[in-house]
């Protein structure tokens, strides 16, 4: 019974996603309708294809035996802890952007590597410090020495310079 | 001057100290750049182009071509160790390379990749040197209808090779095409799906998208595991030398995949991303044990690796003989050729024969250098898999975000990369192929342009796609790929 319920909930989550995709496609179809003939033909063909495919997927999920999920998919149940970790990582991505713009590329990378690894649970300070310095050096060589890129100096250092 | 004299002169030029330093140095730089997720030859070549301005034409072309080759070599290392292809041309390598690394055999997988790339590279170079006029002649027969059908076949093949539901893979591919249509329409100049945004009118940038979809989504999956290392068994029990021996046990796979890569490389617009998937899929279909693919078997690494490296040489064939770039990177390379005052085609093969043969000889030497550097350095690069996840995640985040920002110094590009990362995470979670999505973005512009050109030529008749011999064959193959597997399954069940 539990297994059946789980399979049913999996099928319904797929149906919900397909319905969302279907609605997005119909919305985009309406928008594409306003474009000139040449510009709208190809996107409309693709959108109609998506409508057909999502409808077919809904049909297979509801009226036919639930399609077997790949082994990788079967493992993807997410508990609360995992969800929190994923959210923290996305937040870290924005945090790095902020670090880079405020502290500059080199200092930003160094500070970010150290603090975020600590936040993610790594506690060996010696290894953390050495790896942060080494990786910052690697990034410096690749982006600044080899590629000769201009990366942010950092708002703080710009203000100090002024 | 006889052919032998031309080759001797080319060897003399290549063995000059400065050329040797360039070949060796650029090979290592390219390996590192290719290893970095999301930063491939398409990013590296434009960045290196200004550096070649002061060089002699032969040296400049060697630098650009070696950079291209080495990026493809390096891209495979991150595909195997991080499940993040450094370049799109290594995406299929993830399918068996990463599972092998997770079994603690990262070293063996890299050894297989290096040897396959080396042999594939040689077969590709042999094609470039000896068969270029013949193959280029065949590519000339391709009209827009054939290009369109080839793009469709490429997409369908990639969707069919995706694990899980083919319908979902096709939906992902269709959304990829749609994503590619955001921005100004090339035919009419009409903004599509831009919703009044100036940023979207320029289209969604590819590099941040690929960084997000591949690198960041992988990071989000890794972080769910909490602490530990990438290699589930916590080490690299396999030796690289074992991997170097493995491809010799699969000669048919090696030759077949290399020829597929070469053939696809010659067709303008397709390129290594399509080649490595096509070779992988054909290997799956021709195997007696297709279910073993995706679990970390050698043939699953040999096929994509041999094909993508031979494809690199293949893309240069129409570029050098006809002036038609075989792909995006080949287009940049073509720019480099012209910037140095050389005209591709007949003139290059006659008046600048010395430059051309120096390039050929340089590429052959670079293939040796790349093999030696790759096999010896990857021992150290392979150690990435035993780095704790908690240290690796911030490193990949900082690398990916810096690379996204570097493209245009635009903060919105970084936001696109992060959003794509979240999108890629959910796509993988719910079984939508991220690879089909990305390849669709790559093929979509060629498909759309060819679609309209074919219709214009045929006075609006859609029958042109079915009635032209090559296009019709490609259409038939496409239908076979879609209908074939379920039909065969039903027939087997009945038996």
């Amino acid at each position: 019974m539990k297994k059946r319920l789980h399979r049913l909930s999996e099928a319904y989550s797929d149906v919900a996603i397909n319905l969302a995709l279907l609605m997005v496609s119909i919305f985009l179809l309406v928008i594409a309708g306003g474009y000139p003939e040449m510009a709208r033909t190809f996107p409309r063909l693709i959108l109609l294809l998506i409508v057909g495919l999502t409808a077919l997927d809904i049909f297979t999920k509801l009226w036919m035996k639930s399609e077997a999920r790949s082994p990788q998919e079967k493992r993807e149940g997410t508990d609360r802890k995992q969800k929190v970790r994923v959210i923290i990582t996305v937040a870290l991505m924005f945090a790095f952007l902020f670090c880079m713009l405020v502290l500059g590329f080199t200092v930003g990378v160094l500070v970010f590597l150290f603090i975020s690894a600590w936040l993610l649970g790594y506690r060996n300070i010696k290894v953390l410090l050495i790896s942060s310095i080494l990786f910052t050096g690697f990034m410096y060589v690749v982006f600044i020495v080899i590629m000769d890129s201009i990366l942010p100096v950092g708002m703080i250092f710009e203000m100090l310079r002024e | 001057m006889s052919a032998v004299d031309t080759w001797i002169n080319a060897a003399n030029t290549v063995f000059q100290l400065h050329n040797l330093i360039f070949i060796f140095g650029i090979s290592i730089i390219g390996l590192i750049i290719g290893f970095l997720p999301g930063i491939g030859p398409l990013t590296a070549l434009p960045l290196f182009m200004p550096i070649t301005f002061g060089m002699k034409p032969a040296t400049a072309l060697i630098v650009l071509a070696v950079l291209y080759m080495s990026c493809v070599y390096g891209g495979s290392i991150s595909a195997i160790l991080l499940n993040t292809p450094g370049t799109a041309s290594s995406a299929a390598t993830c399918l068996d390379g990463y599972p092998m690394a997770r079994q603690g055999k990262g070293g063996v997988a890299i050894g297989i990749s290096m040897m396959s790339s080396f042999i594939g590279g040689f077969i590709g170079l042999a094609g470039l040197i000896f068969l270029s006029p013949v193959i280029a002649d065949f590519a000339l027969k391709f009209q827009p209808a054939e290009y369109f059908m080839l793009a469709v076949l490429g997409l369908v093949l990639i969707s069919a090779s995706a694990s899980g539901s083919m319908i979902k893979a096709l939906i992902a591919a269709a959304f990829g095409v749609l994503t590619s249509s955001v921005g100004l329409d090339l035919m009419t100049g009409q903004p599509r799906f831009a919703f009044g945004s100036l940023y979207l009118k320029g289209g969604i940038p590819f590099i941040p998208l690929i960084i997000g979809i591949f690198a960041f989504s992988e990071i989000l999956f890794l972080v769910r595991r909490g602490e530990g290392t990438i290699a589930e068994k916590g080490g690299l029990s396999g030796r690289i030398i074992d991997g170097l021996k493995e491809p010799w046990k699969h000669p048919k796979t090696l030759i077949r995949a290399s020829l597929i890569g070469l053939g696809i490389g010659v067709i303008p617009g397709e390129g290594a991303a399509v080649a490595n998937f096509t070779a992988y899929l054909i290997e799956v279909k021709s195997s007696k044990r297709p279910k073993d693919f995706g679990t970390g078997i050698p043939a699953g690494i040999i096929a994509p690796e041999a094909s993508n490296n031979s494809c690199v040489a293949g893309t240069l064939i129409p570029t050098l003989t006809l002036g038609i770039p075989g792909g995006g990177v080949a287009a940049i390379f073509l720019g480099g050729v012209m910037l140095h005052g050389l005209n591709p085609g007949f003139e290059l093969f006659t008046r600048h024969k010395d430059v051309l043969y120096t390039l050929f000889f340089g590429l052959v030497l670079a293939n040796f250098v790349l093999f030696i550097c790759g096999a010896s350095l990857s021992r150290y690069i392979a150690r990435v898999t035993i780095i704790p996840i908690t240290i690796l995640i911030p490193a990949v985040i900082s690398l990916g975000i810096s690379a996204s920002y570097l493209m245009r110094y635009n903060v919105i590009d970084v936001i696109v990369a992060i959003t794509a990362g979240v999108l890629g995470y959910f796509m993988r979670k719910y079984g939508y192929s991220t690879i089909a999505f990305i390849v669709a973005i790559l093929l979509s512009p060629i498909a759309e342009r060819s679609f309209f050109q074919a219709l214009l030529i045929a006075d609006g008749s859609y029958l042109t796609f079915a009635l032209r011999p090559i296009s019709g064959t490609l259409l038939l193959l496409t239908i076979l790929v879609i209908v074939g597997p379920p039909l065969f399954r039903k027939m087997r069940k009945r038996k």
Side-chain angles (χ1 to χ4, degrees):
Chain A
M1 183 70 182
K2 211 177 171 184
K3 235 180 182 179
R4 214 180 147 192
L5 271 173
H6 179 68
R7 205 184 298 160
L8 215 66
S9 79
E10 264 190 356
Y12 279 119
S13 70
D14 275 344
V15 170
I17 293 168
N18 275 318
L19 280 174
L21 293 178
L22 195 68
M23 284 195 291
V24 170
S25 306
I26 292 168
F27 170 69
L28 293 176
L29 257 173
V30 174
I31 289 179
Y35 300 152
E37 174 91 34
M38 286 275 272
R40 74 176 173 218
T41 311
F42 204 69
R44 278 181 88 179
L45 272 174
I46 297 301
L47 284 162
L48 286 171
L49 180 73
I50 296 173
V51 169
L53 286 169
T54 46
L56 184 68
D57 206 32
I58 292 171
F59 175 77
T60 44
K61 291 280 150 40
L62 289 182
W63 280 276
M64 293 172 81
K65 276 184 186 171
S66 179
E67 206 170 332
R69 287 191 157 210
S70 66
Q72 200 192 352
E73 273 181 275
K74 278 178 189 166
R75 274 192 268 132
E76 305 308 352
T78 336
D79 63 27
R80 211 171 150 222
K81 252 187 183 174
Q82 287 176 327
K83 274 182 193 164
V84 171
R85 272 196 220 123
V86 169
I87 293 166
I88 288 176
T89 310
V90 175
L92 280 176
M93 290 176 187
F94 283 104
F96 176 68
L97 178 63
F98 181 77
C99 269
M100 190 170 74
L101 295 176
V102 174
L103 299 173
F105 178 68
T106 318
V107 181
V109 171
L110 189 69
V111 170
F112 172 78
L113 288 175
F114 189 88
I115 293 176
S116 53
W118 178 272
L119 280 175
L120 288 170
Y122 196 78
R123 292 289 181 265
N124 188 336
I125 291 187
K126 223 184 206 175
V127 175
L128 205 54
L129 205 64
I130 293 169
S131 63
S132 301
I133 292 169
L134 282 178
F135 193 75
T136 307
F138 168 75
M139 295 267 283
Y140 184 86
V141 169
V142 170
F143 287 113
I144 296 173
V145 179
I146 297 176
M147 292 190 166
D148 203 19
S149 317
I150 307 155
L151 283 156
V153 183
M155 286 176 200
I156 288 181
F157 294 106
E158 266 177 13
M159 276 164 68
L160 284 173
R161 208 187 275 169
E162 280 164 13
Chain B
M1 196 189 288
S2 73
V4 179
D5 289 336
T6 314
W7 278 108
I8 291 170
N9 280 345
N12 282 335
T13 314
V14 169
F15 280 113
Q16 282 171 2
L17 186 67
H18 68 278
N19 281 332
L20 287 176
I21 291 170
F22 274 124
I23 290 173
F24 192 78
I26 293 291
S27 294
I28 294 175
I29 291 169
L31 276 173
I32 296 169
I33 293 173
F35 177 74
L36 306 176
I39 310 174
L42 215 51
T43 315
L45 255 75
L47 288 169
F48 273 76
M49 190 87 81
I51 301 170
T52 67
F53 283 166
M55 296 175 185
K56 285 180 181 171
T59 310
L61 296 190
I62 287 173
V63 165
L64 293 175
V66 171
L67 188 62
Y68 181 15
M69 276 173 76
S70 53
C71 282
V72 175
Y73 257 80
S76 315
I77 303 173
S78 47
I80 289 167
L81 300 180
L82 304 174
N83 199 23
T84 306
T87 60
S89 59
S90 307
T93 311
C94 295
L95 300 175
D96 273 277
Y98 186 60
M100 195 180 263
R102 288 182 71 167
Q103 290 161 20
K105 293 181 194 165
V108 178
I110 286 173
I112 295 172
S113 155
M114 288 300 142
M115 183 53 85
S116 311
S117 302
F118 176 67
I119 299 166
F122 260 116
I123 294 176
L125 287 171
L128 173 66
I129 296 165
F130 300 111
L131 302 173
S132 57
V134 185
I135 300 174
D137 192 45
F138 180 71
L140 264 181
K141 288 178 185 160
F142 275 65
Q143 295 277 316
E146 280 77 27
Y147 285 131
F148 174 73
M149 280 320 304
L150 203 64
V152 174
L153 176 64
L155 278 178
V156 170
L157 274 171
I158 284 151
S159 304
S161 68
S163 62
S165 158
M166 189 179 168
I167 300 175
K168 281 184 174 180
L170 284 171
I171 292 174
F175 267 101
V177 175
L178 212 60
T179 307
S180 171
S181 69
V182 173
L184 293 181
D185 172 33
L186 289 176
M187 316 283 276
T188 59
Q190 164 76 33
R192 294 188 298 196
F193 308 121
F195 305 101
S197 153
L198 199 65
Y199 181 86
L200 287 178
K201 272 184 190 168
I204 297 174
F206 185 67
I207 299 293
L209 203 63
I210 199 170
I211 288 172
I213 290 283
F214 287 123
F216 289 166
S217 75
E218 176 57 29
I219 285 302
L220 295 177
F221 263 89
L222 266 179
V223 81
R224 286 160 34 131
R225 290 207 341 234
E227 290 179 36
T229 61
I230 295 174
E232 279 185 337
K233 288 187 179 170
L236 302 161
S237 57
R239 295 184 310 161
I240 287 173
I241 191 89
D242 294 334
L244 295 178
K245 290 174 193 165
E246 197 59 43
W248 298 104
K249 296 174 191 165
H250 306 263
K252 270 188 191 170
T253 305
L254 258 179
I255 294 169
R256 184 169 43 218
S258 303
L259 293 178
I260 290 168
L262 183 64
I264 290 178
V266 169
I267 300 160
E270 292 298 324
V274 178
N276 79 335
F277 267 105
T278 310
Y280 183 85
L281 189 79
I282 289 174
E283 202 49 42
V284 175
K285 299 280 175 204
S286 56
S287 168
K288 285 175 188 163
R289 296 163 69 184
K291 282 187 179 169
D292 287 355
F293 282 82
T295 60
I297 60 166
I301 303 172
I302 296 168
E305 281 307 293
S307 67
N308 65 8
N309 282 278
S310 72
C311 186
V312 169
T315 57
L316 297 183
I317 294 174
T319 311
L320 294 171
T321 55
L322 305 164
I324 301 168
V329 186
I332 300 168
F333 182 80
L334 181 66
V337 172
M338 293 167 102
L339 274 170
H340 283 90
L342 306 168
N343 286 322
F346 184 71
E347 197 186 312
L348 191 60
F349 277 81
T350 50
R351 266 183 68 188
H352 301 289
K353 213 174 171 183
D354 52 334
V355 175
L356 198 68
Y357 280 79
T358 306
L359 170 68
F360 289 164
F361 200 90
L363 289 178
V364 173
L365 184 70
N367 202 34
F368 273 109
V369 172
L370 278 169
F371 172 68
I372 294 163
C373 288
S376 54
L377 293 178
S378 55
R379 177 181 291 276
Y380 305 102
I381 296 172
R383 299 203 176 276
V384 170
T385 52
I386 53 172
I387 293 175
I389 289 172
T390 42
I391 288 188
L392 191 75
I393 286 169
V396 177
I397 289 175
S398 53
L399 201 61
I401 287 182
S402 306
S404 310
Y405 183 74
L406 174 82
M407 282 303 295
R408 303 189 294 190
Y409 303 104
N410 191 336
V411 175
I412 305 175
D413 285 351
V414 179
I415 294 165
V416 167
I418 299 171
T419 313
V422 177
L423 175 76
Y425 170 77
F426 282 109
M427 281 177 79
R428 288 173 62 178
K429 192 171 181 318
Y430 291 102
Y432 291 88
S433 167
T434 48
I435 291 166
F437 176 74
I438 288 295
V439 175
I441 293 174
L442 278 169
L443 290 183
S444 175
I446 309 159
E448 186 173 3
R449 198 177 50 237
S450 311
F451 177 77
F452 279 112
Q453 285 174 344
L455 285 179
L456 275 173
I457 293 168
D459 286 331
S461 166
Y462 286 88
L463 280 174
T464 185
F465 299 108
L467 295 180
R468 291 177 59 84
I470 301 173
S471 167
T473 313
L474 292 170
L475 177 66
L476 207 69
L477 279 172
T478 309
I479 295 168
L480 260 176
V481 174
I482 297 172
V483 186
L487 216 68
F488 285 131
R489 264 200 299 271
K490 268 196 177 173
M491 277 163 70
R492 263 187 211 165
K493 266 187 188 173
R494 273 188 194 169
K495 275 182 187 174

